[in-house]
Amino acid sequence: MHRGIIFCFILLGIALSSCNKDTPEPANQPAPSSDNTYSYLALGDSYTIGESVPATDQWGMQLADLLRKEGVEISNPVTIARTGWTTSQLAGAIAEADLKPTFDLVSLLIGVNNQYRGQPLSTYRTEFTQLLNTSIRLAKGDPKRVLVLSIPDWGATPFGRNQDREQIAAEIDAFNAVAKEVAQKAGVEFINITPLSRTLAPDLSYIASDGLHYSGKMHREWALLALPKAKDILK
C-alpha cells in the first residue's frame, strides 16, 4: 500500500478526531499537592497518549502507579501527546501549554512520525535536541530528572505485515541512534524499549485492537523497564 494511503489510515482511520484539530489541546497543570508528592510530565505521540487503550493503561500512568506501589508519592502525569505528532508538532504543543519548569520527572518519547513521513535525520536531530533541552528546562533544569524512551518498531505489528519491515526497522534504528546520542551527550538516561516492541509483537495480547498500536500489556512492559530509573531519580 502506498505510504501516503497508510499515513491517512493511521491519522484518519485510527484517530480521526485528532487529525481535525490543528490547535494543540491545553495541558492540565499539576494539581496542588503536598511537598512530599512528586510531579511528572509525559511528552510524546501515540505511544505516550496510549492510542486505542484506556487512559489508565498509558505507560506513564502505569509508571506512576508502579512508583506509588514502591512507596514513591507521585501524581499522575501531566501528558502532552497526540497520535500523529512529529517533533515539531510536539514542540508547538509544549509552547502552547506554557508549563512551569517545576516537574520532578519528565519523559520524552517522540520520532515515529518523523520516520514515517520520511523526514531527514538531520531535521530530527535538530528538533529532538531542542525538545530535550525543553524537557530539561521543565525538569527544574536537571538532566538527571529526564527519561528518553526509544521509538517502538511499528513495522513488527500486524499492520506492518505487508510493509518492508527490514527498511522500517533500519530507519527506526537510525532515529533511535540519534536520540540515544543526543540524550547521552546531555546527561539524560536513554531507555531502549524497541526490542520489546519487536520480540513481543507476535503475541497479539501486546497489540491494541487497531493492529498498529500497543495494548496496555505492552505499555506495562515499558513502564516496568522505566521503573528502576524513575525510582532512582525520585529517591
Side-chain angles (χ1 to χ4, degrees), residues 74-191:
I74 188 169
S75 301
N76 285 336
V78 173
T79 301
I80 302 181
R82 186 180 293 173
T83 297
W85 271 355
T86 61
T87 45
S88 63
Q89 290 169 307
L90 175 58
I94 295 171
E96 177 95 5
D98 192 25
L99 299 169
K100 294 179 175 61
T102 58
F103 290 92
D104 298 297
L105 175 65
V106 177
S107 64
L108 177 63
L109 197 179
I110 190 72
V112 69
N113 295 294
N114 297 68
Q115 176 270 329
Y116 190 85
R117 298 186 194 187
Q119 295 183 0
L121 277 173
S122 58
T123 299
Y124 179 69
R125 179 183 293 275
T126 298
E127 295 179 353
F128 181 83
T129 300
Q130 293 168 347
L131 278 172
L132 188 59
N133 289 336
T134 298
S135 299
I136 294 169
R137 178 180 62 81
L138 292 171
K140 303 179 179 179
D142 186 354
K144 299 300 183 184
R145 292 184 178 275
V146 180
L147 298 177
V148 169
L149 274 66
S150 67
I151 305 166
D153 186 352
W154 66 270
T157 67
F159 185 78
R161 185 178 297 116
N162 297 321
Q163 311 306 313
D164 187 339
R165 286 179 160 173
E166 289 187 4
Q167 179 181 347
I168 294 167
E171 292 177 358
I172 292 289
D173 286 345
F175 275 77
N176 280 331
V178 168
K180 182 177 182 180
E181 177 190 343
V182 172
Q184 290 182 337
K185 283 184 178 179
V188 170
E189 189 72 36
F190 181 84
I191 299 173

Side-chain angles (χ1 to χ4, degrees), residues 33-83:
S33 58
S34 71
D35 292 340
N36 296 323
T37 301
Y38 294 111
S39 57
Y40 172 25
L41 174 65
L43 306 173
D45 49 34
S46 61
Y47 299 134
T48 295
I49 198 66
E51 180 65 44
S52 297
V53 300
T56 52
D57 282 351
Q58 296 169 4
W59 80 266
M61 289 282 283
Q62 294 199 60
L63 176 60
D65 186 57
L66 288 168
L67 285 166
R68 286 190 289 266
K69 289 178 179 177
E70 294 283 341
V72 179
E73 293 299 321
I74 188 169
S75 301
N76 285 336
V78 173
T79 301
I80 302 181
R82 186 180 293 173
T83 297

